[in-house]
Amino acid sequence: DLRDETVSFANFSIEELGVVSSTNAEIKDAQPSVFFNPANNTIWVKNLPQKQVVMQLYTLDGKQILVQSTDALIEANIDISAIPSGAYILNLKGARLNYSKLVLSYSNN
């Protein structure tokens, strides 16, 4: 709250920066990010380090219930609206990628 404080702008300046973006090197080093977790209809995956990733969803006893491929770099989504509520393992596989994450699904029904 700045109402009770004096703020001096004598040394204030604004510097113009160029376009800020991620480089391919930063993307390659980034770990995938999975959200929303728990998820209702869609699981989003960000920071995919490469194109051509196979996304697999398994039950906790190892049964594969969903396979989806993507060639989208950076971000992809998985439609889980048809699967029952529960805990699952999401596995992301690619030439330079092998990543697993526990995901939770819930239904509004």
Side-chain angles (χ1 to χ4, degrees), residues 57-63 86-89 101-104:
L57 199 61
Y58 293 90
T59 61
L60 294 182
D61 62 357
K63 180 181 174 189
Y88 300 91
I89 302 293
K101 174 88 174 176
L102 178 68
V103 294
L104 303 175

Side-chain angles (χ1 to χ4, degrees), residues 14-29:
I14 296 176
E15 181 180 346
E16 186 175 336
L17 300 174
V19 176
V20 179
S21 66
S22 297
T23 65
N24 286 341
E26 291 170 340
I27 293 169
K28 289 178 186 174
D29 293 337

Side-chain angles (χ1 to χ4, degrees), residues 48-99:
L48 289 172
Q50 66 186 60
K51 286 188 173 188
Q52 299 175 343
V53 172
V54 176
M55 301 177 289
Q56 304 164 315
L57 199 61
Y58 293 90
T59 61
L60 294 182
D61 62 357
K63 180 181 174 189
Q64 186 180 60
I65 60 167
L66 189 144
V67 178
Q68 182 177 320
S69 296
T70 182
D71 61 356
L73 185 59
I74 309 296
E75 181 177 294
N77 66 351
I78 305 165
D79 179 7
I80 60 165
S81 59
I83 67 170
S85 298
Y88 300 91
I89 302 293
L90 174 64
N91 190 18
L92 307 174
K93 285 190 176 185
R96 300 179 317 272
L97 176 67
N98 190 4
Y99 176 82

